């Protein structure tokens, strides 16, 4: 019974952290002005892009994407491999990885 409780707690923690960090850019966008740069002057555009708020938002978005990819490949891939072991599919491709990539990108 303890294993089921641990799995439920781990799943709840993953959902909570994913939602928290997923909504963090939205909360920061309400506090800071992340509007687009409305100029064609190269010097002004370069200065605006280097502002700390834009760097922080870019970092958070890239971190969120990395977390999704890591979650996908580190946690789900072994389960997909295990599920495909019982099937009698003969292929030269790494089928679990192909299924994971096609599901993630399409």
């Amino acid at each position: 019974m303890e294993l089921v409780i641990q799995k439920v707690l781990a799943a709840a923690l993953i959902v909570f952290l994913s939602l928290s960090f997923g909504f963090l850019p939205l909360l920061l966008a309400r506090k800071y002005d992340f509007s687009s740069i409305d100029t064609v002057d190269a010097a002004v555009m370069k200065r605006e892009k280097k502002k700390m708020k834009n760097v922080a938002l870019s970092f958070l978005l890239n971190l969120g994407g990395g977390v999704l990819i890591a979650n996908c490949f580190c946690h789900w891939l072994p389960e997909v491999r295990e599920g495909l072991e019982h099937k009698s599919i003969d292929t030269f491709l790494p089928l679990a990885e192909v299924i994971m990539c096609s599901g993630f990108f399409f």
Side-chain angles (χ1 to χ4, degrees):
M1 189 66 178
E2 284 186 23
L3 183 62
V4 173
I5 294 172
Q6 289 175 354
K7 285 184 179 184
V8 169
L9 288 176
L13 181 66
I14 288 173
V15 167
F16 174 75
L17 290 175
S18 297
L19 287 175
S20 298
F21 283 104
F23 284 117
L24 189 59
L26 179 66
L27 297 174
L28 289 176
R30 287 184 181 173
K31 185 174 181 179
Y32 301 107
D33 181 29
F34 290 124
S35 61
S36 63
I37 303 166
D38 296 332
T39 184
V40 292
D41 186 19
V44 173
M45 191 176 295
K46 188 174 183 179
R47 188 173 54 242
E48 287 292 320
K49 282 184 179 179
K50 287 187 176 181
K51 284 190 176 178
M52 188 61 184
K53 61 183 178 183
N54 290 332
V55 172
L57 180 64
S58 177
F59 173 76
L60 290 172
L61 290 174
N62 288 324
L63 181 70
V67 166
L68 287 175
I69 291 172
N71 188 23
C72 178
F73 287 111
C74 291
H75 296 286
W76 296 339
L77 189 57
E79 293 181 17
V80 172
R81 283 185 186 149
E82 183 180 321
L84 289 175
E85 283 178 356
H86 305 294
K87 310 291 183 204
S88 60
I89 301 172
D90 186 28
T91 180
F92 65 94
L93 291 174
L95 194 57
E97 287 80 0
V98 170
I99 291 171
M100 291 292 297
C101 287
S102 64
F104 188 77
F105 292 114
F106 297 109

